[in-house]
Structure formats: C-alpha cells, structure tokens
Amino acid sequence: MSKSREKKAGKRMTKNNLADKLNNFFIARPDKVVGLTQINRELHLATHPLKRLCFEILEEMADNGFLKKASSNEYMLNTHGQVLTGTFQRKSNGKNIFLPEDGSEPVMIAERNSAHAMNNDQVKISFFARRRNRAPEGEVIEILKRSNSTFVGTLKVDKHYAFLLTENRTLANDIFIPKEKLKGGKTGDKAIVKVIEWPQEAKNPIGQVVDILGKAGDNNTEMHAILAEFGLPYVYPKAVEKAADKLPKTISKEDRAQREDFRHVPTFTIDPKDAKDFDDALSIRRLPSGLWEVGVHIADVTHYVKEGTLIDKEAFKRATSVYLVDRTVPMLPESLCNMLCSLRPDEEKLTFSVVFQMNGKAEISNSRIVHTVIRSNRRFSYEEAQQIIETGEGDYKDELLELNKLARILRKNRLANGAIDFDRIEMHFEIDEKGKPVGVYFKESKEANQLIEEFMLLANRTVAERIGKAPKDKKTKVFPYRIHDVPEPDKLEGLNAFVNRFGYKIRTSGKRGEISKSLNRLLRDVKHKKEQNLIETVSLRAMQKARYSIYNIGHYGLAFDYYTHFTSPIRRYPDMMVHRLLTRYLGGGRSVQADKYEEFCEHCSNMEQTAANAERASIKYKEVEYMSERIGQEYEGTVSGVTEWGLYVEINENKCEGMIPMHCLDDDYYEFDEKNYCLVGRRHRHKYSLGDTVRIKVSRADLEKKQLDFDLVKA
C-alpha cells in the first residue's frame, strides 16, 4: 500500500470503527496481555493520528472496565476471572442481577441464563467477556445454596390443579401447586407457598402450601400476609410461651439484696397511651449536696432471659418487635414483655439503671451503672405528662417539671454540638374493632416526648462511653455500638440542588459540625411551611442508615462519639446483648469473640430493616384501604416522587400517597430528568417537579398490590 493510500485509509477509520476493531481484538484474546506496539502492528495502525486515537480508546475502555491495565501501555480483557460466586436477585421483568461476594460490580443475568435460580440464592456464575458500552453479563452455572424462598399470594384452585397468584416483584410467573400439596386451600385463600422444584423445561415453578392465612381481604389475613411476605413470624411458638410462663413471678430476697433499692424514690413511666410494654422509667430526687439524682431505669430482661435458652433463641431470631398499623408483633412472649418485665405501676420490678448526679444546669458530676429494684409510682401517657408540663398542675408536677427543665438543657446542648434535629410529624390511622381505618390523625413530638428521648439518649451514650473509652494501657472490649456514618458528598450535593429550588441552601463540605448545623438551619427554616414534609423526607434520604456494629465510628446524626442501645431490651435484641456484656465487663469479665458479635450485629441490623419494610407495607395497605372509599374524590397534593413511570403525589390533607402513571399525562410526551427531579414535556417543555402542588382525583385503589392511582385534574 502506498503512503498516500494509507493516509486516505487512516482518514476513513472513525473512532467507532477502531473501537469495534479493538473490541473484537481483545475478545479473541481473553487471557492475553497485549502491549500498545503489538496492537498498532496487528491492526495496521501506522499513522501518528491513528496511534493516538487507539491509545485514547484503550484508556476509555480501561476506565469503563472493559479492559484491565497490566502496565502503563499493556492491556487485557477484564473477565473477572471468568467464574464468580455471590447472590442472585430475581426480577419479574427477567433482568435479574448477580451481586458478587467480593463487592465488585453487579452482573446482569438474563432469564434464559438464570438456571431458574430463586431470589437470594447463593450461586456460581460464568462471566461473559464484556462487550464495550454494555453492562457486564453472565450465566448461572451452579446453585450453591437455596434461600429457602417462600411466597405469599392468593390461591386459584381448578378441578385438577391450582396456582398461587403472586404480586411478588421477584417472580414473573405464578406458582403451580399439585392438588395433593394444597393443604385444604380454596380459591380466594391467602396462602404461603414454598417452591419445591422448577424443572428446566417448565415455565412455572412447582410449590406446596405451607400455611393457609385466611380469606383475602380479611384484616387479620392481610396483616399476617404482610408479615409472611417479609419472612417475619405471625404466631408465637407455644413452646416458647410455655417456657416464659414457667419463669418465677416473685422477686427473691437474694435478688433484692444484690441491688440498689430505689423503691422509695419518686419514679414513673411516660409512654404512648396504648402501650403495654413499659421498658423504661425515670426517678428523681434532691441529694443533701443540693444536686439532683436522676435514675434512668430499664427493665432487666436478661435477668429472666438467659443466653442460649428457648426464649433467647426465639428473641434473637426475631431481633426486634414489629409495629404494624393495628398490632405489635413482640420480640418476647407477652407474659414477659407486657407483664413480668414491664415496669407497671405499684409493682416491684428488677431494673438495670444509669444513675446521674447533676446540677440545675444539667452538668453531670457523676454517673454509675447499677442493677436496681424499683417501684413505679405512676404510669403517665405522653398526653398526661404534656398537660402537666404546660399547666404546672398534676401528679408529681415538681419532679416532672424539673426533669423537663434538665431535658431542655440537654437537648439545647446536643443540638449546639451538631446533632441533627429531625423532628417529624407522624401520620397515624384510627382503626375500628375490625381493623378498618376510619380516620387519620397526626402526632407531633412535644416536650413530654423530648423529655424521655433526652434521658434515653444520655443513658445510651453513657453506657457506650463506659465500655468504649478504655484506659490507655488497656484494649477496648468487644461491644455492640449504634453507628451512623457521615452523609455521602454526592447525596448532599443532590439535596442542596433540590432545596435551592425552594430558596434554601445547605453546606455540602467542611467540618462535620458545620454541615449538620447547616442542615439544622434548613429544618428550622422549613418548619410550618407547605414544603416542610417533603424537604424533611428528601433530607432523610440523603442520610446514611444507622446500624449496629462492634466497630465504632460514632453517630453522626446525634453528634455522639460513642452510642449504643441499652434502653429498650423488651423490644430490641441488641439492647439485650448490651445488658449481658455490660454485666460481664462491670464484673471484670474478659472480652467476647469479635467476629461472632459482629455477625449478631449484622443480623440485628438486617432484621430492623425488614421490620421497617413490613411496617411501611402495613401503612401502605391501610392507606389504600382508607382511600378505596374515596374513589372519584379530588384533593390538593404535593409531588413527592418523580420516576420514569410517573409522578408520586402525597395528598396534603391526609398524607396518603399515590401515583399518576405516565400514560395519564397525555398532553405531551414526558421524559424523566433524573438530575433535576422532574418530568419534562418534549413539545411544550412543561415540567412536573418534586415539590410541585397539583390537584388529583382518586381513580383506583388496588389492595392486592397496595397501590393507589390518581388522575391529574387539569386547571
């Protein structure tokens, strides 16, 4: 080839042409490390512009993960080592995801390459050689461990066979059930079904009924279905209840003798009016020195629930009580949580206490952590305590008013130190005796709530500091902390861009305290504004999730260097762990095994998240049920979410949320602008943005899918 012809050929070689050649070149050599000189020679890239273009494309391919750099000018195909193990996540649209156990990039698994793996199965995949500008893809070659998946749905029973119709977003097909595996189920029953096999050639998995929950639409059935959907228990094992019933109901002289006696100190509980499990009480008295002695007394659950017993194993498995709209699903048997351990008035109770000596400015001169015996004088609801705080009249008014004064100082100091003041108004349903929602009301955190909150925070922090702050010459002992990481910078940038639209701004960089003070300023500025709820919600989403770990990094949201959960052992298993370890360490015991306790922490964090998801699902169900009787009615609402499939709108009056599907926005073709939280019409450029006020009409309420649909009412 002459030089002039070569030059012309070089001009005709576009970037895309060369990129395709390089793509094929490396796929043909999956295990080879190839140098720049060899690539130029084999692809006949003789001119300087082509060589430079080749180098640019190779660098892009390395940045995109298609290639790996072996040295500054050597490259090879990025194949992840061909075989990976990890977790399979099934999607009903067939675009399944594989999460490698090494934490590397997720891999797409098409349905045809899934080997019928179920959601959360541990699998081994073969990694396909990655194509340029395409997501990594693979094929399941072995199912290592089944996740033991069960599904909840409604039975449809025909003469010779049956199906479970599921609304599960991880399963595209209904589950086939042979008649002999129905367990007496009938059409319209809600059931739990376990998949027992999925033949390679079969479209539907085959299952057997594990339990019949009852008729679809019945409140009890639906609440049990929500629990079962998240793998949470909906009945308490009889054997565990019997074990709890056998526990001693009286306090022995020996137990009393080994504890500090607070039975004659003014003591009371403050809880929601419908609460039965009172796990914390406060005492206060003036000392001869003029200081106040404040006792934070917590139910001594682990005195009764010994490690490794039947009750303990069940409590660990549950890890938390679950609070659905119409019921509490307790972590412990009711005879323990509502009777034996509950700090009920006029009953002697065993407690684990943090006792503070402080002056009138809430400055702490001394604190001690001790086992105690108490006798609560009074059970207050938050409303009763609030009335005494506001009027200065009522039972134990002097004690309550002094505790409130101290709590206000503690709160002021905490916020000044950089704690974030998320103080949201909560929506609750009024439920009739059949579980039907008949009304909506809102709960705001008032001084009575904050009084309890501040002393619980103080006790939790004090316990964490006692163990976490080891002397210089001693190693810190293993202990479960409640940790909360700093927000990710890109999420703060996103939040700032969002609040800018409403005329607010926050700091996105600087010291921890500066950012949190800026967030507090924002939360203060939006109080009682129409955008308050939305901005608080988006701000919360920008935060990391708090979790449990033995590796302490502090708690960003509370601005505490040390924090744990000690104050709710009736409803949280981590608090039981803390009680046991605290007793062990205060008695001079050795540290426990780190790996084992980190696993415990991870389990408790996961169960906490699962319980929160179930709680949200029960609220959503009641929202849909409540609005199902209001089809056709119009409301003012606020755009609370923007997605590629439509707009989420929260009704201002009752905070129920529904969706305006994209196809209902029929005056234009709308495109989703993810960066700016909006939908933009292609022709008329009309925008629907997060925070916009719109008028909607309730068009559809699907209880099975827990889904509300709205129509936009045009002005």
Side-chain angles (χ1 to χ4, degrees), residues 227-234 313-324 329-331 482 545-548 571-574 577 598-616:
L227 291 165
E229 183 186 334
F230 289 97
L232 295 168
Y234 49 92
K313 286 175 181 174
E314 183 66 24
F316 174 72
K317 192 165 75 176
R318 292 171 179 242
T320 180
S321 293
V322 184
Y323 295 89
L324 302 187
V329 182
M331 179 180 78
R482 180 70 168 173
K545 279 190 171 67
R547 58 191 173 87
Y548 299 104
R571 60 185 179 88
R572 292 187 305 224
Y573 196 84
M577 289 199 290
E598 183 62 10
E599 275 181 32
F600 289 172
C601 286
E602 196 173 321
H603 167 72
C604 291
S605 297
N606 292 339
M607 291 306 292
E608 176 188 31
Q609 188 57 53
T610 301
N613 292 341
E615 188 178 336
R616 275 195 292 274

Side-chain angles (χ1 to χ4, degrees), residues 292-309:
W292 290 104
E293 182 190 72
V294 178
V296 180
H297 307 286
I298 308 302
D300 193 356
V301 173
T302 56
H303 173 84
Y304 298 101
V305 181
K306 301 301 181 189
E307 196 167 3
T309 59

